[in-house]
């Protein structure tokens, strides 16, 4: 584990993203520089706090009790932080910075959306410096970026699937979609949807993650956000119309499939490539559902 390289990569990514975000804000408002400077500080601060709190909430059943809890709470071990809790904290930091600078938080978040996706890509890539934190299944052999080599000594190296690189790639896809959706009123929400959706697959592939029985905790968090978006669309369109609930129903079916798939991966001998193929098809259906809901909203 190379914590210095990890922090350097995170710092470079964050500075680049804030510079791009601030440049865009300055084109729209004279308060953009103030909002950018506040974001530079508040984003990482609230991100770190929420990353720790998110991890504690997800692992509340095994938290130490009494006096032993407080040292654990302030520990900044990277293996004891929630990635999506951190993302929520950064989002809160961007919104709060915009509010303090006199800008509308919603508009600021829409402007930040593609650069937030870029930061996710940086953060996932940086996991290459955290040993086995971002890897998946063991491989007989491999090469970077497909696999991550873990050198246990000068003569022996093990290879594991580099899930963090797949996650970084999906984040870049979300970045491209966010740039394409420039000017849309729900740009930030849609960008976050397409960051969370493929993570349902990636969390299943990760070896080191928070597990509830046979389901991955942050997999559930990502699904919950995506399904919440689809349900919100139904209410926004008019909850009495059955066709407006079609996207949310598709999402619910995908949930049931995902639970069955995780059970199959953990408890059965069904080949993993079959299970993961079905999972990808389900996520594609959920992406279609979000697109269908967005089209209905635009026509409403």
């Amino acid at each position: 584990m190379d914590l210095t390289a990890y922090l350097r990569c995170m710092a470079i990514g964050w500075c680049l993203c804030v510079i791009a975000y601030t440049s865009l804000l300055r084109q729209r408002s004279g308060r953009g520089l103030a909002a950018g400077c506040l974001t530079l500080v508040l984003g990482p601060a609230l991100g770190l706090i929420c990353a720790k709190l998110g991890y504690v909430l997800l692992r509340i059943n095994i938290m130490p009790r009494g006096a032993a809890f407080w040292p654990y709470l302030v520990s900044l071990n990277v293996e004891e932080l929630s990635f999506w809790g951190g993302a929520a904290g950064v989002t809160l930091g961007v919104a709060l910075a915009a509010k303090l600078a006199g800008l509308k938080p919603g508009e600021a978040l829409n402007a930040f959306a593609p650069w937030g996706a870029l930061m996710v890509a940086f953060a996932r890539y940086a996991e290459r410096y955290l040993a086995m934190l971002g890897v998946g299944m063991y491989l007989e052999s491999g090469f970077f970026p497909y696999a991550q080599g873990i050198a246990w000594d000068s003569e022996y190296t093990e290879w594991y699937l580099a899930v963090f690189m797949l996650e970084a790639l999906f984040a870049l896809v979300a970045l491209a979609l966010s740039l394409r959706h420039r000017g849309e009123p729900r740009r930030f929400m849609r960008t976050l949807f397409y960051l969370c959706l493929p993570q349902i697959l990636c969390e299943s592939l990760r070896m080191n993650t928070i597990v509830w029985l046979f389901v991955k905790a942050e997999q559930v968090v990502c699904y919950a956000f995506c399904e919440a978006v689809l349900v919100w669309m139904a209410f926004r369109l008019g909850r009495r119309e059955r066709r407006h609930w079609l996207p949310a129903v598709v999402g619910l079916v995908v949930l049931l499939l995902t639970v069955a798939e995780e059970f199959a991966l953990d408890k059965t001998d069904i080949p993993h490539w079959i299970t993961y193929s079905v999972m990808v098809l389900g996520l594609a259906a959920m992406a279609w559902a979000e697109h269908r809901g967005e089209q209905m909203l635009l026509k409403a």
Side-chain angles (χ1 to χ4, degrees):
M1 181 178 293
D2 189 345
L3 190 58
T4 300
Y6 171 76
L7 293 175
R8 184 186 299 118
C9 185
M10 291 287 284
I12 291 172
W14 180 243
C15 289
L16 290 176
C17 292
V18 172
I19 289 171
Y21 167 62
T22 304
S23 299
L24 181 60
L25 285 185
R26 291 188 66 186
Q27 296 173 14
R28 301 179 180 182
S29 171
R31 300 173 181 174
L33 181 59
C37 291
L38 288 169
T39 299
L40 185 66
V41 177
L42 290 177
L46 292 178
L48 185 58
I49 292 171
C50 291
K52 187 63 182 186
L53 291 178
Y55 182 86
V56 169
L57 290 174
L58 292 175
R59 301 300 300 268
I60 194 68
N61 59 315
I62 62 167
M63 288 295 107
R65 300 290 186 255
F69 173 74
W70 300 109
Y72 180 87
L73 184 62
V74 298
S75 168
L76 297 182
N77 185 338
V78 290
E79 296 180 350
E80 297 173 354
L81 299 173
S82 164
F83 186 92
W84 293 103
V90 170
T91 298
L92 179 60
V94 173
L96 180 59
K99 186 70 174 179
L100 293 173
L103 301 177
K104 294 181 179 179
E107 294 180 0
L109 287 173
N110 280 339
F112 181 76
W115 314 121
L118 180 59
M119 186 61 220
V120 170
F122 267 101
R124 287 307 191 185
Y125 174 79
E127 289 182 356
R128 71 171 297 190
Y129 302 112
L130 297 182
M132 297 186 65
L133 186 64
V135 303
M137 66 184 74
Y138 170 78
L139 304 172
E140 292 294 334
S141 61
F143 56 89
F144 188 82
Y146 167 69
Q148 171 84 327
I150 306 296
W152 298 108
D153 56 45
S154 59
E155 299 181 355
Y156 181 63
T157 298
E158 289 184 342
W159 291 93
Y160 295 86
L161 183 66
V163 180
F164 62 89
M165 289 301 296
L166 182 62
E167 292 168 320
L169 177 61
F170 280 132
L172 292 177
V173 172
L175 164 63
L177 291 172
S178 186
L179 292 173
R180 182 180 178 184
H181 296 194
R182 184 185 295 108
E184 290 189 3
R186 291 173 289 277
R187 185 191 197 188
F188 178 78
M189 183 178 73
R190 299 196 74 192
T191 302
L192 190 53
F193 181 94
Y194 285 104
L195 284 170
C196 289
L197 185 63
Q199 192 61 31
I200 296 172
L201 168 65
C202 293
E203 283 296 327
S204 181
L205 292 170
R206 289 172 71 95
M207 181 186 299
N208 296 310
T209 186
I210 305 168
V211 180
W212 295 339
L213 296 178
F214 52 82
V215 177
K216 311 297 176 59
E218 293 204 297
Q219 185 182 44
V220 174
V221 170
C222 290
Y223 170 82
F225 174 81
C226 292
E227 179 65 6
V229 169
L230 300 181
V231 171
W232 174 86
M233 286 179 168
F235 277 94
R236 185 71 180 267
L237 288 164
R239 60 185 178 181
R240 295 182 181 179
E241 290 282 344
R242 291 184 180 179
R243 64 188 180 93
H244 294 162
W245 286 93
L246 177 60
V249 171
V250 170
L252 183 59
V253 172
V254 172
L255 168 64
L256 298 177
L257 282 173
T258 303
V259 173
E261 289 153 1
E262 289 298 329
F263 178 83
L265 290 168
D266 189 57
K267 303 296 184 181
T268 73
D269 295 325
I270 297 174
H272 286 191
W273 71 266
I274 295 177
T275 305
Y276 282 124
S277 295
V278 175
M279 185 179 294
V280 170
L281 290 174
L283 298 182
M286 207 163 175
W288 172 86
E290 190 275 342
H291 178 73
R292 174 68 181 275
E294 180 65 20
Q295 293 302 308
M296 287 192 290
L297 281 173
L298 293 174
K299 294 177 181 178

